[in-house]
Amino acid sequence: MDGVTLRRDDDNEHIAEIVLDRPEALNALSTAMARRMAAACAEVATDASVRAVVLSAAGERAFCVGADLKERNAMSDAEILAQRPVFRAAFGGVLDLPQPVIAAVHGFALGGGCEFALSCDMIIADGTAVLGLPEVSVGLVPGGGGTQLALRRLGPGRAADLVLTGRRVKADEALELGLIDRVVPEGTAREAALTLAGMITGNSPTAVRAAKRAMRLGAGKDLPSAMDLEENAWRTVAFSADRSEGIAAFNEKRKPNWPS
């Protein structure tokens, strides 16, 4: 539907999969697709039964090649400006999901495609992956979080290397730079992401969300402020029903049945 499909994993009902599903256009982000992405993320964010999210893509050639420049070429300046909040809502929807989000990247992940991946908590890429932020080569600046997310993930020098040159990097170099977290064999990124998501769903949903929030909000803060965020996360969970169940399950040598 409008280039984005939302579905549940067949083997684990606690995993939601958001699929960039416009393979005929290499999953280029159109206005309609951006609206659907924001709506799908809003739906997932409020669903307490979802404990982890995988962001994947249809087709064999690309995860996402960025904004649909064919659509944009026909737009007036006023239309481009009106499109801006729609795009921001799409990228912000992924970035703001309370559940852990894992990107499963194959093929080209350029511009907005790379930014969608950077908006996730973890990035798994297969050997076909090619990532980059080439916006400056077409007279633009990364506008889906690329400058800031690359800076936080890579540090200033490596972020500048990618953003200011607009160059593309293959999976092995992306791993070395820290742009991605794991490289897996060709054609297995989605499977690996679902496996990792399954591991996360076995843990306390309350604890996982609190830990994610502490890490996200703590990035870039001074250490005392960040430690206060961790304290708040600890208090969120320490007196919860999940804590009681987790400790009971450990002592009874069984899997927890999380109440949250």
Side-chain angles (χ1 to χ4, degrees):
M1 179 191 298
D2 291 329
V4 174
T5 299
L6 174 60
R7 62 192 181 203
R8 289 297 181 101
D9 179 50
D10 291 338
D11 298 321
N12 188 330
E13 65 179 358
H14 297 300
I15 299 174
E17 184 177 9
I18 301 173
V19 186
L20 303 170
D21 200 358
R22 198 184 173 214
E24 72 282 358
L26 301 183
N27 298 314
L29 185 64
S30 66
T31 305
M33 189 175 172
R35 287 197 180 97
R36 173 58 183 152
M37 174 62 81
C41 288
E43 182 177 341
V44 170
T46 57
D47 190 335
S49 69
V50 176
R51 299 180 184 176
V53 181
V54 169
L55 179 62
S56 65
E60 297 182 356
R61 296 179 57 196
F63 177 74
C64 172
V65 294
D68 186 340
L69 297 184
K70 291 182 179 179
E71 177 190 55
R72 190 167 287 178
N73 188 52
M75 297 170 70
S76 67
D77 287 353
E79 289 171 328
I80 291 173
L81 189 60
Q83 185 194 59
R84 181 69 183 143
V86 179
F87 269 44
R88 287 201 67 179
F91 291 106
V94 177
L95 188 64
D96 293 339
L97 282 167
Q99 304 95 336
V101 189
I102 305 163
V105 176
H106 70 278
F108 295 109
L110 304 175
C114 187
E115 289 172 310
F116 270 135
L118 287 170
S119 297
C120 298
D121 299 291
M122 291 162 278
I123 305 172
I124 293 177
D126 76 9
T128 70
V130 178
L131 298 93
L133 294 164
E135 283 86 349
V136 295
S137 69
V138 293
L140 291 168
V141 170
T147 62
Q148 301 308 304
L149 296 173
L151 179 65
R152 284 159 174 75
R153 192 175 248 273
L154 306 178
R158 290 182 172 184
D161 178 356
L162 292 184
V163 173
L164 302 183
T165 66
R167 70 185 183 92
R168 302 176 180 187
V169 296
K170 295 182 179 180
D172 288 342
E173 184 182 2
L175 181 65
E176 182 180 350
L177 289 171
L179 183 60
I180 62 177
D181 302 301
R182 299 186 189 184
V183 177
V184 296
E186 182 176 339
T188 66
R190 176 177 176 270
E191 178 184 353
L194 288 169
T195 297
L196 183 57
M199 294 174 65
I200 292 170
T201 64
N203 298 323
S204 159
T206 301
V208 165
R209 290 190 182 209
K212 170 174 174 169
R213 179 175 172 80
M215 289 189 288
R216 279 291 179 93
L217 295 181
K221 290 190 178 295
D222 62 88
L223 185 58
S225 298
M227 293 300 290
D228 285 342
L229 286 169
E230 182 176 274
E231 177 69 15
N232 289 337
W234 182 87
R235 289 178 180 275
T236 297
V237 182
F239 306 104
S240 69
D242 275 17
R243 187 285 314 262
S244 298
E245 169 61 14
I247 292 177
F250 176 84
N251 284 290
E252 295 167 14
K253 295 181 173 55
R254 59 174 175 82
K255 289 184 179 182
N257 182 20
W258 302 115
S260 62

